[in-house]
């Protein structure tokens, strides 16, 4: 942050996009999220991390997977530190659910692994009653993730982020 409190750690994309620079900027955000000085800066950081989560791999074979994984960690950290209240996160829900769910689609060019389930669980938990418009899509993706995990690991899903997210879906449904 500069002295005025503006976020300056995200790369200037007027230069050619660089996955390593973006991943390092996001990792810095994860480490210092609790020190962001204002809600406006936290909102800007959340928006930037959400955009990086949606960054697809290059056509030339360049992988943005480390950036997406780090962006997911940054989103989770920001949700925990700055967006615990439903009122604070409500305006961000459409973009966040859309982007996180897109990382879980089959053959997604923006896949980032089990961390997506952790973020989805945190989103479901933080959004409380505002999760209603998204819960069906969330449940579909989480159930599909559990089925894939069972198939991949011969039935052992006890340490799976997908199973944890399924518990979050059940809790959200129970709250109605």
């Amino acid at each position: 942050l500069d002295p005025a409190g503006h976020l300056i750690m995200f790369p200037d994309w007027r230069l050619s996009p660089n996955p390593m620079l973006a991943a390092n900027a996001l990792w810095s955000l994860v480490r210092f999220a609790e020190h962001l000085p204002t809600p406006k800066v936290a909102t800007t950081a959340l928006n930037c991390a959400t955009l990086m989560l949606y960054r697809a791999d290059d056509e030339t074979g360049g992988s943005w997977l480390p950036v997406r994984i780090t962006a997911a960690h940054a989103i989770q950290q920001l949700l925990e530190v700055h967006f615990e209240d439903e009122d604070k996160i409500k305006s961000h829900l459409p973009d966040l659910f859309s982007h996180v769910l897109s990382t879980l689609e089959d053959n997604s060019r923006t896949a980032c692994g089990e961390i997506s389930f952790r973020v989805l669980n945190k989103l479901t938990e933080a959004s409380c009653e505002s999760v209603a418009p998204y819960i069906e899509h969330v449940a579909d993706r989480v159930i599909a993730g559990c089925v894939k995990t069972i198939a991949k690991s011969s039935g052992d899903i006890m340490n799976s982020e997908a199973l944890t997210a399924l518990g979050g879906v059940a809790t959200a449904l129970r709250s109605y």
Side-chain angles (χ1 to χ4, degrees):
L1 300 175
D2 68 7
H6 298 129
L7 188 64
I8 58 173
M9 69 174 115
F10 282 95
D12 183 347
W13 291 121
R14 289 177 289 187
L15 305 171
S16 62
N18 182 316
M20 183 58 99
L21 183 60
N24 286 329
L26 287 163
W27 185 245
S28 297
L29 178 60
V30 169
R31 302 293 297 158
F32 298 104
E34 69 265 13
H35 302 293
L36 297 177
T38 65
K40 183 179 179 186
V41 173
T43 297
T44 301
L46 183 65
N47 291 338
C48 290
T50 302
L51 288 173
M52 290 292 103
L53 181 67
Y54 201 63
R55 182 69 188 224
D57 289 341
D58 293 338
E59 306 290 325
T60 61
S63 177
W64 283 76
L65 179 60
V67 174
R68 292 190 300 269
I69 291 170
T70 312
H73 282 287
I75 290 168
Q76 181 183 357
Q77 186 70 16
L78 287 165
L79 290 175
E80 288 178 5
V81 175
H82 293 283
F83 296 94
E84 278 292 316
D85 298 333
E86 183 181 5
D87 294 336
K88 292 180 180 177
I89 195 170
K90 206 172 193 175
S91 64
H92 302 285
L93 291 178
D95 284 341
L96 283 170
F97 272 113
S98 167
H99 285 66
V100 174
L101 286 169
S102 75
T103 66
L104 294 168
E105 291 174 4
D106 292 332
N107 302 319
S108 173
R109 288 186 56 223
T110 60
C112 57
E114 287 239 330
I115 184 69
S116 296
F117 290 111
R118 191 180 309 159
V119 174
L120 201 54
N121 185 38
K122 187 64 186 168
L123 265 175
T124 303
E125 177 186 300
S127 58
C128 301
E129 294 176 9
S130 301
V131 76
Y134 314 101
I135 198 68
E136 184 178 347
H137 298 295
V138 170
D140 287 346
R141 289 286 96 207
V142 169
I143 291 168
C146 286
V147 169
K148 282 182 182 176
T149 302
I150 290 171
K152 201 181 335 179
S153 63
S154 303
D156 182 26
I157 66 167
M158 294 310 292
N159 294 324
S160 167
E161 293 293 341
L163 184 63
T164 304
L166 187 59
V169 168
T171 301
L173 290 172
R174 245 183 270 132
S175 70
Y176 289 108

